[in-house]
Amino acid sequence: MQLLPMKELLLEAKANNSAVAAINVSNMETITGLLETAQKMESSIILQISPMQIQAQKITYAQIVEMIKLFGRDYDIKASIHVDHAVDVEDCYKAIDSGFTSVMYDGSMVDFDTNIENTLKVVNYAKGKNVTVEAELGKVGGAEASDSTEEGYMTDPGKVEIFVNRTGVDCLAVAIGNAHGQYKSKPKLDFNRLSAIYEKAGIPLVLHGGTGIPDVDIKKAISKGIRKVNIFTEVDRAFVKGFVDAYTGNKNIYMMHAQEQAREHMMREIEKKLRICKNVEEE
């Protein structure tokens, strides 16, 4: 595995008119499942983990990096390790010091000026360390809420150029009707807004909440400047369902076999997502 700053993967995707899938990993099975599928698909990949996952699993940023590097030795792919949705700049610093090649500071919960101030802190800390910095402008909420499509939560194209110029951020997560988690109804992405954002930004854009967005809409978003697509819930649910199905089918199954069935079920879902991001059709 060739570990690179995420920016390099996104610029390569731009040249190919594609995007890179960013998929959250939590344990050995999710790490190897993602690496194995990426190699099969000849795809670059972003392995990401959020502070929420770090806390839930009682591990450290350094430990997850070492796990990924250990298993990554067996794969010939380009990859980046990314911390997702760090709302505290200190989490970004910890991740950078632990060997992450990309971090996201999520300033969606603070005002515009504070978002700029904190993002700039992370950008300055990452300088000289060859680490990519992603920021968020607007607010990508949860799919269970209705705020993701409200004007006040959407990324304002009029603020994009100011934000990018003042922070020097490498890529920008946008709010265009997308949301985290499982959508209750079909999401409606504002592609006109996306085009206006891309025109002002001049840097790769990021689509969060990839779970549940129709394939055709993801491909359209890629054509309008999206270079990174975040996917967590769908892949996570595939693993859990695979494990539950394995146990339901055989109450005497050992954990190692149930986990492998879960991993294989998850890998089939990952392959679908990688195909969409690569802009290739199903075989």
Side-chain angles (χ1 to χ4, degrees):
M1 178 184 72
Q2 185 181 3
L3 195 55
L4 298 169
M6 187 173 74
K7 183 178 180 179
E8 292 188 27
L9 304 185
L10 303 188
L11 292 177
E12 187 176 271
K14 179 182 178 181
N16 297 328
N17 193 31
S18 62
V20 186
I23 297 176
N24 292 63
V25 295
S26 300
N27 54 18
M28 178 181 74
E29 289 76 21
T30 52
I31 291 169
T32 60
L34 181 50
L35 293 173
E36 188 174 322
T37 309
Q39 177 144 306
K40 175 185 175 182
M41 294 293 296
E42 299 181 342
S43 293
S44 297
I45 195 68
I46 298 162
L47 303 99
Q48 63 182 21
I49 188 163
S50 68
M52 174 184 67
Q53 290 173 275
I54 291 287
Q55 293 163 12
Q57 305 222 203
K58 297 179 175 61
I59 57 176
T60 66
Y61 290 111
Q63 285 170 336
I64 195 73
V65 167
E66 289 307 309
M67 281 181 67
I68 292 170
K69 285 182 176 179
L70 176 64
F71 293 115
R73 294 174 189 169
D74 296 329
Y75 299 92
D76 184 21
I77 58 171
K78 295 178 181 178
S80 180
I81 307 176
H82 175 76
V83 68
D84 186 37
H85 286 291
V87 296
D88 187 336
V89 295
E90 292 295 331
D91 275 305
C92 291
Y93 299 163
K94 289 176 187 176
I96 291 169
D97 292 341
S98 298
F100 277 67
T101 61
S102 177
V103 297
M104 178 201 183
Y105 168 67
D106 180 357
S108 63
M109 301 299 289
V110 299
D111 63 71
F112 183 66
D113 289 333
T114 305
N115 192 0
I116 288 176
E117 180 184 344
N118 288 344
T119 300
L120 185 56
K121 287 179 182 178
V122 177
V123 169
N124 286 336
Y125 195 86
K127 277 182 181 176
K129 299 180 176 69
N130 215 17
V131 174
T132 300
V133 179
E134 174 186 339
E136 181 171 328
L137 188 57
K139 181 183 177 183
V140 181
E144 71 283 356
S146 60
D147 57 17
S148 62
T149 57
E150 290 180 8
E151 182 70 25
Y153 288 90
M154 304 275 250
T155 303
D156 181 354
K159 293 182 177 180
V160 169
E161 190 171 5
I162 297 169
F163 185 88
V164 171
N165 287 342
R166 286 178 60 183
T167 62
V169 73
D170 296 302
C171 55
L172 186 66
V174 297
I176 55 168
N178 48 314
H180 298 115
Q182 294 281 6
Y183 295 93
K184 288 188 174 181
S185 58
K186 181 181 176 181
K188 297 178 181 178
L189 302 187
D190 187 340
F191 291 109
N192 290 333
R193 185 181 296 269
L194 178 58
S195 295
I197 293 167
Y198 185 61
E199 183 180 341
K200 296 290 186 180
I203 58 175
L205 301 180
V206 180
L207 184 68
H208 285 241
T211 290
I213 297 178
D215 298 356
V216 65
D217 285 353
I218 291 179
K219 290 185 177 183
K220 186 173 181 179
I222 291 171
S223 75
K224 293 181 177 292
I226 292 294
R227 298 294 164 231
K228 172 177 178 264
V229 179
N230 281 28
I231 303 155
F232 183 11
T233 304
E234 245 172 330
V235 170
D236 183 85
R237 294 300 86 197
F239 183 90
V240 172
K241 186 178 186 303
F243 192 96
V244 171
D245 287 350
Y247 176 72
T248 302
N250 177 11
K251 294 295 193 301
N252 295 316
I253 194 169
Y254 280 94
M255 180 177 67
M256 58 186 172
H257 298 307
Q259 286 185 157
E260 179 56 22
Q261 288 188 42
R263 192 181 81 102
E264 291 172 357
H265 195 261
M266 176 194 70
M267 287 167 63
R268 290 192 288 273
E269 190 63 37
I270 291 173
E271 184 170 337
K272 294 176 187 175
K273 301 306 178 187
L274 296 187
R275 286 188 184 280
I276 296 165
C277 290
K278 286 187 73 173
N279 262 329
V280 298
E281 301 301 323
E282 289 277 0
E283 293 181 351

